[in-house]
Amino acid sequence: MWEKVERGEWREKCGEREGGLAMKGLAISLLLLVLTSCSETNVGKPQSIGEPYDVVLVSTDKSLLAMVRGMLGVTMAGLPQEELLFNVKTARGGEINAATQYDRNIVVVRRKGSHTRIRYERNPYARNQLLVFIDTPSSAALRADSAKTAKTLQRLIEQFETKAAMDYDSQNHNLKSMKEIEKAIGCKITIPADMRASKKGKDFIWISDNGQKTMRNVCIYTVNGIHVSQSGIVSMRDSVMSANIKGEREGMAMTTERRADVMFSKHGKGIMARGLWQMEGDAMGGPFVSMTLADSVRNRTVTAEAFIYAPSTTKAKAMKRLEAILYTLEIE
């Protein structure tokens, strides 16, 4: 089946819709459909320009631009200080041109149509690129739909960036560590190729890149019994991490920072937790995010946790990059 899309082209559908979705009744889960595209559409295209979560806004309407910029001015949850997730800039000229068409994430905002509508496309000009059109009849209409539009736009870009990170790791992975985890823990998870340092404990593996400014870490561990309540996950975390991650001196061990809330959410069959870690007896600390799965067949709980230590730099993008690893966790 064929469908007419932007720029007057005709494109074969790939089993998923690449067209627009009206705001009314929009299901966020449907946004995942844009993340699959025909492989042949990337042939001969250059790589997109920019870092993850870089966004270029394109519009001739300053009031619409200001509203959409505000939609992307969100801070990431679970960090020790406020940090914006999206790095937003405005394109000159108000249209896609030679200076902007290869940017990583492009959002075009237009006065068009009878209601607020989002249309999206992957890899229109370059590989690893997301193009979003927000059409609205007026500033008042966009303001009325701002909550839904903001949530949809944020989720769409986040899902695109998560899949991009997962795709990269699937092609650039640490096979040795992955096999060790599968053998010792009995689960599968993708470990990036640049994370090579490791430490083993009882039903516990710690993988790190030993970075100087930002040290990225992933731990995979299991505990007997099912511990998927919020208090159970935190207690399990404190027990396992304090036993396996020690400080420089006696009595120093990793634990959960109790002065900050731990936030929980469901993701498929797993439970995600976000919060802050600290090293007891030391000033070290930072953010963590974890994915916990119940293994009812073996009567155990499996957790993959990512945390960073980056005392002198921003942490939002590094944490999102690590979070993508957790989505690959599978129990054998």
Side-chain angles (χ1 to χ4, degrees), residues 153-223:
L153 180 61
Q154 294 165 18
R155 185 70 62 86
L156 180 57
I157 297 173
E158 286 191 59
Q159 288 177 336
F160 167 76
E161 293 293 2
T162 296
K163 186 175 186 300
M166 293 170 68
D167 287 346
Y168 181 85
D169 288 343
S170 69
Q171 299 173 28
N172 303 272
H173 53 265
N174 182 342
L175 185 59
K176 179 181 177 181
S177 290
M178 290 167 63
K179 287 183 176 180
E180 288 178 349
I181 293 168
E182 188 172 355
K183 181 179 179 181
I185 307 295
C187 67
K188 294 182 178 180
I189 188 170
T190 302
I191 301 297
D194 60 349
M195 300 183 73
R196 297 186 179 91
S198 65
K199 175 187 175 182
K200 293 182 182 179
K202 184 179 183 301
D203 300 322
F204 175 91
I205 294 181
W206 175 12
I207 311 292
S208 177
D209 69 348
N210 278 343
Q212 296 299 312
K213 290 186 177 181
T214 300
M215 186 173 73
R216 301 180 300 135
N217 309 270
V218 173
C219 298
I220 302 94
Y221 55 88
T222 68
V223 173

Side-chain angles (χ1 to χ4, degrees), residues 169 189-192 195 218 321-329:
D169 288 343
I189 188 170
T190 302
I191 301 297
M195 300 183 73
V218 173
R321 182 70 179 79
L322 284 175
E323 185 179 320
I325 298 172
L326 306 186
Y327 296 136
T328 66
L329 177 66

Side-chain angles (χ1 to χ4, degrees), residues 102-133:
Y102 300 122
D103 281 301
R104 186 180 182 92
N105 294 290
I106 306 172
V107 179
V108 179
V109 192
R110 308 178 291 191
R111 287 184 182 267
K112 181 178 180 182
S114 59
H115 55 270
T116 303
R117 187 178 178 88
I118 289 185
R119 178 188 173 278
Y120 44 83
E121 194 175 335
R122 188 178 180 187
N123 305 330
Y125 306 106
R127 291 178 285 114
N128 201 29
Q129 182 183 55
L130 179 66
L131 173 62
V132 181
F133 289 93

Side-chain angles (χ1 to χ4, degrees), residues 167-327:
D167 287 346
Y168 181 85
D169 288 343
S170 69
Q171 299 173 28
N172 303 272
H173 53 265
N174 182 342
L175 185 59
K176 179 181 177 181
S177 290
M178 290 167 63
K179 287 183 176 180
E180 288 178 349
I181 293 168
E182 188 172 355
K183 181 179 179 181
I185 307 295
C187 67
K188 294 182 178 180
I189 188 170
T190 302
I191 301 297
D194 60 349
M195 300 183 73
R196 297 186 179 91
S198 65
K199 175 187 175 182
K200 293 182 182 179
K202 184 179 183 301
D203 300 322
F204 175 91
I205 294 181
W206 175 12
I207 311 292
S208 177
D209 69 348
N210 278 343
Q212 296 299 312
K213 290 186 177 181
T214 300
M215 186 173 73
R216 301 180 300 135
N217 309 270
V218 173
C219 298
I220 302 94
Y221 55 88
T222 68
V223 173
N224 291 331
I226 305 300
H227 309 278
V228 292
S229 67
Q230 294 184 7
S231 59
I233 289 174
V234 174
S235 296
M236 178 178 61
R237 178 189 188 276
D238 283 343
S239 176
V240 172
M241 301 303 266
S242 63
N244 290 279
I245 300 184
K246 304 290 188 179
E248 293 181 348
R249 297 190 299 274
E250 186 70 24
M252 292 183 177
M254 179 180 285
T255 187
T256 305
E257 171 60 76
R258 291 297 196 272
R259 291 173 295 179
D261 292 334
V262 178
M263 294 160 284
F264 296 88
S265 61
K266 295 192 98 177
H267 183 85
K269 296 180 179 180
I271 298 176
M272 298 198 74
R274 302 175 192 275
L276 302 179
W277 64 270
Q278 65 170 350
M279 189 67 71
E280 280 192 346
D282 200 351
M284 294 178 67
F288 76 86
V289 59
S290 66
M291 175 77 76
T292 297
L293 301 176
D295 185 356
S296 56
V297 174
R298 298 177 178 86
N299 188 34
R300 64 175 187 161
T301 304
V302 179
T303 295
E305 176 178 323
F307 70 92
I308 63 172
Y309 179 60
S312 59
T313 186
T314 57
K315 304 166 181 62
K317 292 184 180 181
M319 284 303 296
K320 276 295 184 182
R321 182 70 179 79
L322 284 175
E323 185 179 320
I325 298 172
L326 306 186
Y327 296 136

